Amino acid sequence: MQEELKAIQEEALATLEQINDMKELQALKVAYLGKKGSLTQVLRGMGKLSPEERPVVGEIVNQVREAITKAIDEKSDLLEKAALEEKLKEESIDVTLPGRPVKVGGPHLLTKVIEEIEDLFIGMGYEVREGPEVETDYFNFEALNLPKNHPARDMQDSFYITNELLLRTHTSPVQARTMREYKGEKGFKMICPGKVYRRDTDDATHSHQFTQIEGLYVDKDVKMSDLKGVLNIFAKKMFGEDRNIRLRPSFFPFTEPSVEMDISCKVCHGEGCSVCKGTGWIEILGAGMVHPNVLEMGGYDPKVYSGFAFGMGPERIAMLKYGVSDIRQFYLNDNRFLKQFHQA
Ligand code: FA5
């Protein structure tokens, strides 16, 4: 029986040598140590041994079982380690491989120009305000010295929602709203960027929806020369020190006197070319001294307070600054156009 046990041990260890995966190892464990395994079979035969032989053989059985168990455990450790190494090898990352490029977006050109203008005026002490795009007839027109049936209402064709509500045609209603908030008690400087809507036919320089930036400075003793100074700083910072500005008389019902501001043409520097239609100048905004009626309706005493206001179109400014020849490019979201300005 001792021989038989030794043979089982040798056979088990030899088989173990050949094993290369966990399944086979499990099968081997069952074949030798399981309920029906070879070692168990031998143990069953121990009943036939004499009482003296039993402890001796029992001890040998235990030794054989221990030896086989130990060898199986060692093999199991080895296989697990090998499997782990294999997995790590498969999942390893080659850090020297070039990375996949991540496409980086950027703000829309119009957003950049609006933010640039905002920064410029914030630097001169202006606060940035907002107003509703769906506006009342009162704030869009009446509070700006444009009573119902006033012929100047035709200057801005409107999208009416009801008799009293419309999509605002300009950012000027925010002038009236801000004056009412300050209740005529103190001076202030504000700008208001935002979307506006007009029944204009779309072409290279007109859109039915576009943006404006309104500016308003109300205080005691604000003069036309202050307006000229601020617009001059704005134009030079925005377009370059070598550019000149020109104010032409104009008409807006909410300012008196009213002006339009031209900037010297970037291409011909005032000589006259096709970009400026031969005039040497390009119009970029409307402005003027706040009309006394508008100050009064806003709660300010026009004998004590005065103010200037301006309204510009950031699309037109961006077109001039970056050489964009068609306003519709701003709204098409064509990435070939937009990405040219990500680094601008
Ligand atoms: C106004 O809207 C006045 N509210 C501006 C103003 C404010 C004057 C304060 C005095 C005091 P105007 O209609 O000219 O004015 O428009 C101002 C600017 O908006 C224009 O100079 C132009 O740059 C831009 N603009 C006007 N219509 C369009 C359009 N259809 N598409 C794109 N830009 C436009």
Side-chain angles (χ1 to χ4, degrees):
M1 186 166 254
Q2 292 175 16
E3 295 300 307
E4 205 182 329
L5 282 167
K6 232 176 170 189
I8 289 174
Q9 180 173 345
E10 271 166 25
E11 189 195 70
L13 296 184
T15 320
L16 205 58
E17 287 283 302
Q18 313 298 319
I19 282 178
N20 280 319
D21 73 56
M22 278 299 202
K23 242 188 188 163
E24 286 175 24
L25 189 67
Q26 197 54 35
L28 180 122
K29 198 173 177 181
V30 174
Y32 286 92
L33 308 176
K35 268 188 197 160
K36 291 179 187 160
S38 342
L39 209 59
T40 322
Q41 298 299 331
V42 175
L43 275 174
R44 288 216 176 108
M46 276 180 68
K48 293 180 199 138
L49 296 176
S50 66
E52 296 81 40
E53 274 177 314
R54 256 183 234 160
V56 183
V57 175
E59 175 136 18
I60 298 171
V61 169
N62 278 343
Q63 282 167 5
V64 172
R65 181 197 295 277
E66 252 171 52
I68 296 176
T69 308
K70 193 170 163 233
I72 288 176
D73 287 349
E74 279 171 6
K75 188 75 178 190
S76 170
D77 283 352
L78 265 176
L79 289 176
E80 268 175 19
K81 230 173 161 180
L84 183 68
E85 260 162 35
E86 190 65 26
K87 207 170 170 202
L88 286 175
K89 219 163 134 196
E90 269 173 30
E91 291 176 1
S92 72
I93 299 165
D94 182 354
V95 289
T96 63
L97 277 177
R100 287 190 203 102
V102 178
K103 283 188 183 152
V104 182
H108 193 282
L109 176 59
L110 201 51
T111 308
K112 282 172 91 155
V113 168
I114 291 172
E115 284 176 359
E116 198 181 335
I117 298 171
E118 278 178 13
D119 285 348
L120 226 152
F121 281 99
I122 289 169
M124 292 193 273
Y126 286 69
E127 57 173 314
V128 180
R129 298 210 143 226
E130 281 183 357
E133 286 173 32
V134 175
E135 188 52 282
T136 57
D137 180 276
Y138 176 77
F139 278 116
N140 196 78
F141 290 128
E142 283 188 52
L144 296 169
N145 205 26
L146 272 153
K148 286 209 159 75
N149 303 319
H150 192 291
R153 284 193 177 206
D154 292 346
M155 285 165 76
Q156 301 173 0
D157 259 345
S158 327
F159 289 112
Y160 270 90
I161 296 164
T162 66
N163 275 347
E164 290 306 321
L165 276 182
L166 74 160
L167 295 177
R168 67 177 175 191
T169 55
H170 50 177
T171 42
S172 299
V174 185
Q175 285 189 35
R177 288 180 174 275
T178 311
M179 281 191 247
R180 273 157 189 74
E181 266 184 52
Y182 279 101
K183 300 189 180 111
E185 286 164 359
K186 59 173 185 173
F188 64 88
K189 291 175 180 171
M190 74 88 185
I191 55 162
C192 167
K195 292 193 188 97
V196 300
Y197 306 82
R198 286 186 197 175
R199 283 161 55 103
D200 280 349
T201 308
D202 291 358
D203 63 21
T205 52
H206 292 84
S207 170
H208 59 282
Q209 181 206 301
F210 57 102
T211 55
Q212 279 192 343
I213 298 182
E214 193 77 11
L216 176 64
Y217 175 24
V218 174
D219 214 330
K220 290 170 185 161
D221 208 24
V222 177
K223 297 185 289 293
M224 188 80 181
S225 52
D226 297 320
L227 170 65
K228 206 175 163 189
V230 166
L231 294 181
N232 203 19
I233 291 173
F234 160 72
K236 295 213 161 167
K237 287 260 184 270
M238 203 63 198
F239 296 101
E241 288 296 323
D242 58 331
R243 310 292 286 281
N244 289 318
I245 66 161
R246 177 175 86 170
L247 299 182
R248 276 182 296 106
S250 185
F251 171 75
F252 296 104
F254 30 91
T255 46
E256 181 58 38
S258 303
V259 292
E260 268 173 322
M261 181 169 110
D262 297 339
I263 182 153
S264 61
C265 179
K266 186 183 178 179
V267 181
C268 65
H269 291 278
E271 297 288 312
C273 68
S274 62
V275 174
C276 56
K277 299 190 181 95
T279 63
W281 299 91
I282 298 162
E283 182 212 312
I284 58 167
L285 56 82
M289 299 306 291
V290 182
H291 195 289
N293 290 354
V294 175
L295 281 171
E296 205 156 5
M297 280 188 273
Y300 282 85
D301 181 352
K303 288 191 198 81
V304 180
Y305 282 93
S306 54
F308 67 64
F310 54 84
M312 60 180 90
E315 279 92 341
R316 300 260 178 96
I317 288 166
M319 286 169 83
L320 269 177
K321 187 165 167 159
Y322 294 98
V324 178
S325 56
D326 196 314
I327 198 169
R328 289 165 287 204
Q329 289 289 358
F330 291 112
Y331 319 116
L332 290 175
N333 275 337
D334 183 339
N335 211 23
R336 290 167 302 178
F337 168 76
L338 297 177
K339 70 182 178 193
Q340 294 176 55
F341 304 101
H342 284 171
Q343 307 304 326

